[in-house]
Structure formats: structure tokens, C-alpha cells
Amino acid sequence: MKRILVGDIGGTKTRLALAEGEGTAVVLTEVRTYPSLHYATLELVLEEYVTQVGFPVEGIALGVAGPVSGQRAQVTNLPWVVESAALRQRFGVQCILLNDLEAVAWGLPALRGDELFSLQEGVPSEGNRAVIAAGTGLGEAGIHWDGTRFHPFATEGGHTSFAPRTEREIALWRFLQARHGHVSWERVVSGMALPELHEFLRAHEHSSIPAWLQAALEGASAGAVLAQAALEATDPLCVELMHWFVRLYGAEAGNLALKVMSRGGVYVGGGIAPKILPLLRQPGFLESFVDKGRMRPLLEAMPVQVILTDQVALYGLALAARSSRIC
């Protein structure tokens, strides 16, 4: 594999690197992260990166948090439009665009054992796989097994309609529907969802917010503050919030697993999962994952693993670029 520039383009941050390797092995160098909202366009991020590290590459492969059509993408949670033709003209090399979760799916073969944590051993077998990843938003992808090889494909499953299961979740749906109209799974399972979930839960439980937590929420990423308060058990409502979040996450992971028929395994990625691994290891996630009535035995047989590295999409972009023969 010749050296290429790979980039994971997210609503919160953009991660760029140079990639090389052979087979399914990928070696990344010059890995750098940029705050996406600080830049008007992706081209400005790429230009800054090239200025910093040089540009000895044979191609560019980018994973974009949003639907890709005709090698053009509108980033869902950013005002960026990305076009491979424009990037090819600007930088003088071939460029491919993938949905960011499709890139994660491409990257699974490159993962080492220490980059995965098993939540459920299941009954490992060949078959389709599924990837779900809560970060700024909620991404989902599938991997079709044709009997010989895997074929990753993108979806926008995170934007399907949220299905409440309890009286409290019905109340949450009404709360969010009044604000947003359509209530997607991304509205309840993502980093950007956590502040609204917390706001709803405070009102629903008639709970006030401690002064120290209010101050912390004003000075940093609200989702990260709420999750940390739960992990450290410094606020009971935050503990309840994150246990609920994990159950919601498991429920939608199970929905995706059934739709893809992922006998080959379900992979939980994104920026949130490794940070809340102690919560995912508790019963709530898997209880919701398998709670599908008559389909429970099918889901209990599916391996479920958490992706621990934040570089899997970069691995996948490198492998996809090689498969597409741009380098």
C-alpha cells in the first residue's frame, strides 16, 4: 500500500493521518486532530495539515459523517460540503469519499485483539456484521457476507424514528417531538442527545441541578461532563441518566442487529463507548440488546464487541483506498 492521506471527518473533530501497510495491517503516522467547528471548510483543515506534515501521498480517502452520493457529501452536523472532484483538483491526487461508519466497517479486519472488548461471546460464525457508533451523532453501517468476502455498506439508520418502550420513554418522545418534530434515534443515543436527556430527566424526576454541575456544564462539553459525573457517581441523576442512555443504546443496537441479521457480530464504535465501558459492561446494554421477544435467542447468539481505538475509521479508509485502486 502506497502512502495516502486518510481523514475521519466528524461533527466535533476531524482526525487526519498518513497511512501505509500491507495486507490488512495499517500503519498510521502524523495523526493529528482538529476541532471541526473552528474551520469554515474541510479544505482549510487539509491545507493546514499539509503545511504541517508535507504532502508525500498518492491519494486521499475521507470518511464523512453524513450520506455520500456521487462522491459528494453534506456533513450532517457541520455546514461543510465535501466533493472528491474539488479535492482532486485542489491537491492533484485521486480522492474517494465514504460515509464514516462505512469506513469503520472497512477497518474491522485491521483491528488487533487489544483494540476490542467482548461484551457477549455469542456463537461466533461467518455471516453479516453490523456497526453502531454513538459520537456527536449516531452512525450505523452493515457488512454483507457473500460467502467469500465482506462488503461494507453505509446506512443512515441513526435517523430512523425512535421507538419508545416504556411510559417514561413515551414522555421523552413527546418532550423531544415538541422541540424537533421528527424524533430520531440520534436524538436519544448520541453525545448531542445527552444534555436534552438530562434536561428531560430533571423535569420528569422533579430534580434540581447542583451548583457545581451547572458550573461544569457551562465550561465544557456537556455530554462529557454528564458522563464523567455518572462514572464518578458524583450526582445520582447523572448516574440514572447514563444507565438509561446505555439501555437505549443497547435497544437500538439490537434493532440494527435484527435488520442486518448480523450473525457475524455487532461492533459498538464511536467516541463514547470506550469512555463509558464500565457502564456498557453492566447488564443494561445487553439486556436491552436481546430484549426482542421471540428473537431473543437469535440475538443471544450474536457476538457483541466494543471497538476501543479511535483510529478504526482511518484503518478502514486505508483499506478501502487500496481496494478501490486509488493508490
Side-chain angles (χ1 to χ4, degrees):
M1 181 191 301
K2 298 179 181 178
R3 180 179 293 181
I4 64 168
L5 191 161
V6 292
D8 185 9
I9 316 304
T12 301
K13 58 191 176 185
T14 292
R15 182 178 290 106
L16 302 175
L18 303 179
E20 297 177 279
E22 296 294 337
T24 59
V26 177
V27 177
L28 301 175
T29 57
E30 300 291 355
V31 181
R32 304 196 179 193
T33 301
Y34 303 84
S36 299
L37 289 171
H38 290 190
Y39 298 83
T41 67
L42 175 61
E43 285 83 351
L44 292 175
V45 184
L46 293 172
E47 287 169 1
E48 183 172 325
Y49 182 80
V50 168
T51 299
Q52 292 170 341
V53 307
F55 198 63
V57 299
E58 302 294 326
I60 299 173
L62 303 174
V64 182
V68 177
S69 177
Q71 287 297 290
R72 182 182 187 275
Q74 167 69 62
V75 185
T76 301
N77 293 308
L78 278 177
W80 288 1
V81 175
V82 183
E83 296 180 292
S84 62
L87 294 173
R88 182 170 63 248
Q89 182 176 10
R90 167 64 184 82
F91 295 102
V93 295
Q94 292 294 313
C95 176
I96 61 168
L97 302 182
L98 277 70
N99 171 266
D100 60 337
L101 260 290
E102 183 182 2
V104 171
W106 271 99
L108 296 182
L111 291 171
R112 304 186 306 269
D114 63 355
E115 293 177 319
L116 291 166
F117 181 88
S118 178
L119 291 179
Q120 176 171 275
E121 294 295 332
V123 182
S125 64
E126 292 183 337
N128 296 344
R129 297 176 177 180
V131 181
I132 185 168
T136 302
L138 179 65
E140 300 181 1
I143 310 169
H144 169 58
W145 171 249
D146 69 4
T148 302
R149 62 185 294 262
F150 289 106
H151 302 270
F153 61 90
T155 82
E156 286 298 327
H159 296 282
T160 58
S161 300
F162 167 55
R165 303 164 299 157
T166 66
E167 289 298 325
R168 184 169 70 175
E169 289 179 10
I170 291 170
L172 172 65
W173 180 87
R174 292 192 177 110
F175 173 81
L176 294 172
Q177 195 271 341
R179 290 187 172 187
H180 303 293
H182 177 246
V183 183
S184 68
W185 274 99
E186 184 172 271
R187 293 289 183 193
V188 298
V189 181
S190 67
M192 69 179 188
L194 282 170
E196 283 193 312
L197 287 178
H198 183 246
E199 181 184 349
F200 165 81
L201 201 56
R202 287 204 328 267
H204 190 265
E205 302 295 330
H206 306 289
S207 174
S208 60
I209 183 170
W212 66 267
L213 181 57
Q214 182 65 58
L217 290 171
E218 293 171 357
S221 170
V225 168
L226 294 168
Q228 193 62 33
L231 290 167
E232 296 175 355
T234 52
D235 178 71
L237 195 70
C238 287
V239 173
E240 172 56 24
L241 166 70
M242 292 308 299
H243 281 293
W244 188 24
F245 177 86
V246 163
R247 292 193 295 273
L248 290 164
Y249 203 164
E252 176 58 2
N255 291 340
L256 176 63
L258 288 177
K259 291 174 183 178
V260 176
M261 189 61 80
S262 52
R263 294 182 186 272
V266 177
Y267 294 80
V268 183
I272 294 176
K275 296 182 177 70
I276 64 168
L277 186 59
L279 299 176
L280 292 174
R281 294 177 64 181
Q282 295 182 25
F285 182 91
L286 285 177
E287 285 177 354
S288 291
F289 178 80
V290 302
D291 186 21
K292 304 298 181 189
R294 291 171 292 173
M295 293 296 105
R296 185 184 187 100
L298 175 64
L299 288 158
E300 289 176 334
M302 292 181 183
V304 181
Q305 299 192 77
V306 178
I307 300 171
L308 300 178
T309 177
D310 61 4
Q311 297 185 342
V312 60
L314 301 179
Y315 297 162
L317 290 161
L319 296 179
R322 188 182 65 176
S323 177
S324 70
R325 303 183 191 282
I326 74 164
C327 62

